[in-house]
Amino acid sequence: MSKPQKPRILLVSTGGTITMLSDGEGGLSPCADAGMLLERVPELRALAVIDVLPLVNVDSSNLQPGLWVRLAQAIYERMPFYDGFVVTHGTDTMAYTAAALSFLLQELPKPVVITGSQVPLEDLGSDGRSNLINAFRVATLDLAEVALVFGSLIIRGPRAKKTSVFDMQAFTSVNAPPLGTIGLSIRLQEPYRTRSKRKPLLRAFLDPDVAMVPAYPGIRPAVVEYLTSTHRGLVLEGFGSGNLPTEGEASLCPAIAAATGRGVPVVVCTQCMVGSTEMELYQVGRAALQAGAIPAMDMTPETTLVKLMWVLGQARDLPTVESMMLKSFVGEVHETG
Ligand code: ASP
């Protein structure tokens, strides 16, 4: 009897702590060769036949939205040749990239798994080895989602958030249960999409000209006026259920109404980690809604920003932008009504 064939996995590296080395001045910076991932964790070859695609090698703080498109394109073009994809990435902006890949690559027939580490693979006590091995294990499962694998969690791309710079469990699944957990075995949790013969779609629309700012006590309306006159869209992180200053000269409502009047969407998410905007609840949220603000519901700020860039890449008129922001494309928002 012939041995079952190992799955083929493409490892796409982009940099991040997992492949970093100390630069001699005490700071961590990207090392030269991403091939070290396979050299340091050779047991990965027991799981799969692996090719490596070193796309870039940067600290993810330097990663710009254009790279999301390159990454999605690189995966899309190679989709027929592999059974799954693992992307290594810095943790700092991994949640943004996970959200972006979810919107850019739809109708996935196989898994795209993104991972990284808190401690360089080279260092004692690194979480890089286990995260990488687990990412490969997940990339061979009967799963067809963009998933972020970190610590013991498998998180749907648009629901991931970096919540700790200290804990090895650096990411949390926000406002949705994780896709699965990793312990003695891997347990996936329904609902999730399974592998199929469906044709993937590259929906690589992106207008990165979007700003994001939190509301804070003392925020001047000029901040909103400036950002909405220099960008094509704004994400405002509101207080609590999407509340904003609405009284007297500090009111943000005239600036929101003016932006909306010019066709510049202002999307309001919550700066709380758990829960949804509920802008009808308080007068201060209602006034912002009446001024034209679009609620982000239970999307994280990261996902709201990426989604607004993606939506503006394909639509400009505000009613379409609003209905797309409220619709769930990849499980990023809990649709109401
Ligand atoms: N600054 C690093 C990065 O995002 C942090 C990490 O990877 O953990 O690239």
Side-chain angles (χ1 to χ4, degrees), residues 15-18 20 58-61 89-93 117-118 162:
T17 292
I18 192 162
M20 282 189 191
V58 293
D59 189 299
S60 73
S61 300
H89 194 291
T91 58
D92 289 345
T93 65
S117 71
Q118 291 281 64
K162 182 171 178 180

Side-chain angles (χ1 to χ4, degrees), residues 47-296:
L47 289 174
V49 176
I50 304 166
D51 291 328
V52 182
L53 175 67
L55 198 67
V56 285
N57 194 2
V58 293
D59 189 299
S60 73
S61 300
N62 283 324
L63 229 147
Q64 299 296 324
L67 196 106
W68 303 335
V69 176
R70 273 181 63 196
L71 184 55
Q73 254 159 0
I75 294 172
Y76 175 78
E77 282 159 13
R78 291 162 179 82
M79 195 70 75
F81 313 117
Y82 294 94
D83 300 302
F85 296 83
V86 172
V87 179
T88 51
H89 194 291
T91 58
D92 289 345
T93 65
M94 197 191 294
Y96 294 88
T97 301
L101 288 179
S102 309
F103 293 117
L104 269 56
L105 288 170
Q106 290 190 18
E107 298 299 318
L108 274 183
K110 45 192 80 165
V112 173
V113 180
I114 185 163
T115 195
S117 71
Q118 291 281 64
V119 177
L121 196 54
E122 296 277 315
D123 289 7
L124 206 62
S126 171
D127 51 338
R129 168 180 296 269
S130 57
N131 285 345
L132 197 59
I133 292 173
N134 286 333
F136 271 81
R137 290 168 76 201
V138 173
T140 60
L141 295 179
D142 185 11
L143 181 75
E145 302 257 0
V146 174
L148 188 150
V149 167
F150 214 95
S152 62
L153 293 181
I154 307 165
I155 304 170
R156 184 169 274 127
R159 292 296 188 173
K161 185 176 189 71
K162 182 171 178 180
T163 47
S164 178
V165 285
F166 176 77
D167 289 324
M168 293 309 193
Q169 188 57 62
F171 287 83
T172 305
S173 184
V174 174
N175 290 330
L179 277 171
T181 43
I182 304 166
L184 283 180
S185 61
I186 296 181
R187 289 194 188 141
L188 292 178
Q189 198 172 315
E190 306 259 16
Y192 58 87
R193 295 183 85 158
T194 52
R195 288 173 187 268
S196 74
K197 296 225 177 312
R198 71 178 83 88
K199 263 182 83 92
L201 292 176
L202 178 65
R203 305 194 68 196
F205 321 106
L206 205 66
D207 182 348
D209 201 11
V210 175
M212 177 157 78
V213 71
Y216 47 89
I219 185 172
R220 293 195 207 131
V223 172
V224 174
E225 283 161 20
Y226 174 75
L227 291 174
T228 52
S229 55
T230 51
H231 294 78
R232 295 222 176 91
L234 173 66
V235 175
L236 250 179
E237 291 178 43
F239 305 121
S241 53
N243 303 315
L244 295 169
T246 56
E247 256 178 24
E249 290 193 347
S251 174
L252 301 186
C253 290
I256 294 173
T260 306
R262 294 194 309 274
V264 175
V266 177
V267 181
V268 176
C269 62
T270 173
Q271 45 186 265
C272 293
M273 214 187 91
V274 177
S276 173
T277 56
E278 222 178 311
M279 294 180 69
E280 300 277 359
L281 193 59
Y282 294 92
Q283 205 283 325
V284 285
R286 232 168 237 255
L289 266 189
Q290 278 157 7
I294 299 168

